[in-house]
Each structure stands twice: as structure tokens, then as C-alpha cells.
């Protein structure tokens, strides 16, 4: 039986060679890295939670979810219920709205050009007062 020496102190466990010493060191380093990573993730979660709380999002989500829970007749589509109660329209198509917006923008541009042309035409017809 051989005893393993670490930093001049003898262990009471049986030695399987120097590999045990290195394995313990690597395991300790990996544990430390995992702990640092876990702490970093936890701090990011806490920061995000504070952001949501400050913005009032947690309160609003809680209110809507409690409303869904207390709903006597559960809606067929819970997502639509959440969208409706969070203020998002459920029956509107975003692509359709984009098309309508672009059409209105183009029409607005044409009308502005027409106004400018009419102003020039009026200025040219207007008799000069001398």
C-alpha cells in the first residue's frame, strides 16, 4: 500500500499514482469555472428581472395570467387571450399593415407633388398687381 503525498502531507487514502493529484486539481478548477459561470448567469437573470420589474412587465404579465387562470370558460387559444389582454391585436396581419402603410406613403408623396404643381400653376396664372 502506498500513501499519496500532496504538499508534503500524507493522505490516508490509497494512492493510484500521481494522476489522482492532477485529477483533483483539474476537477477543482472545473468546479470553480462552473461556479463562476453559474454566478454570472444568475447575476444576468437578476439584472433582467429588475429590468422587467421596473418596466412594469412582471405586474402586467401576472395580472393577465391570473385573469386567464380565473377565467370560468377557458379560451380555446391561450396565446390569443394573452395577446388580446396585453394589448396586441390578434386579428391583424402585420404584412397586410405594411402593404397598406407603403401604399398610403406613396399616395401621400404623389399628393404632395400635386400640391406643389398646383401652387406653381396658381402663381403663373395670378395677375401681377403693379
Amino acid at each position: 500500500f502506498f500513501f499519496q503525498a500532496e504538499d508534503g502531507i500524507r493522505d490516508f487514502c490509497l494512492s493510484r499514482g500521481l494522476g489522482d493529484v492532477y485529477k483533483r486539481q483539474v476537477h477543482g478548477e472545473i468546479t470553480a469555472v462552473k461556479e463562476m459561470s453559474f454566478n454570472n448567469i444568475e447575476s444576468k437573470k437578476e439584472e433582467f428581472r429588475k429590468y422587467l420589474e421596473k418596466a412594469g412587465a412582471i405586474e402586467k404579465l401576472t395580472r393577465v395570467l391570473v385573469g386567464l387562470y380565473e377565467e370560468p370558460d377557458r379560451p380555446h387559444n391561450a396565446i390569443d387571450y394573452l395577446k388580446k389582454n396585453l394589448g396586441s391585436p390578434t386579428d391583424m396581419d402585420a404584412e397586410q399593415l405594411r402593404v397598406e402603410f407603403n401604399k398610403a406613403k406613396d399616395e401621400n408623396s404623389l399628393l404632395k407633388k400635386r400640391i406643389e404643381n398646383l401652387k406653381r400653376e396658381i402663381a403663373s396664372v395670378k395677375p401681377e398687381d403693379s
Side-chain angles (χ1 to χ4, degrees), residues 94-112:
E95 187 59 36
Q96 179 185 354
L97 290 174
R98 259 188 231 101
V99 169
E100 288 177 19
F101 172 74
N102 287 330
K103 183 179 175 184
K105 196 166 75 170
D106 292 342
E107 186 177 341
N108 186 32
S109 179
L110 289 173
L111 289 172
K112 284 181 179 181

Side-chain angles (χ1 to χ4, degrees), residues 81-100:
Y81 177 89
L82 295 173
K83 284 180 181 179
K84 177 182 166 199
N85 287 282
L86 286 172
S88 174
T90 57
D91 58 343
M92 295 206 163
D93 180 20
E95 187 59 36
Q96 179 185 354
L97 290 174
R98 259 188 231 101
V99 169
E100 288 177 19

Side-chain angles (χ1 to χ4, degrees), residues 2-83:
F2 295 98
F3 292 99
Q4 184 171 330
E6 292 183 28
D7 299 330
I9 301 172
R10 300 254 175 212
D11 258 352
F12 289 110
C13 66
L14 295 176
S15 175
R16 288 175 279 170
L18 288 176
D20 285 351
V21 174
Y22 300 117
K23 286 178 190 173
R24 286 186 201 161
Q25 288 173 349
V26 170
H27 178 70
E29 290 171 5
I30 290 173
T31 302
V33 168
K34 284 181 182 177
E35 193 171 306
M36 286 173 37
S37 177
F38 177 75
N39 290 339
N40 189 27
I41 291 170
E42 287 300 313
S43 68
K44 285 183 179 182
K45 282 182 184 178
E46 182 63 20
E47 183 181 320
F48 187 67
R49 187 194 61 75
K50 286 179 183 178
Y51 161 74
L52 290 175
E53 191 172 329
K54 185 177 179 183
I58 291 177
E59 182 181 338
K60 179 73 174 176
L61 285 169
T62 301
R63 201 173 321 126
V64 171
L65 289 172
V66 167
L68 177 60
Y69 176 76
E70 293 175 346
E71 189 72 33
D73 298 322
R74 297 277 160 87
H76 179 65
N77 189 335
I79 299 297
D80 284 344
Y81 177 89
L82 295 173
K83 284 180 181 179

Side-chain angles (χ1 to χ4, degrees), residues 105-121:
K105 196 166 75 170
D106 292 342
E107 186 177 341
N108 186 32
S109 179
L110 289 173
L111 289 172
K112 284 181 179 181
K113 287 178 185 175
R114 186 170 178 201
I115 289 171
E116 289 302 315
N117 289 337
L118 289 172
K119 283 181 180 179
R120 276 187 250 129
E121 189 178 317

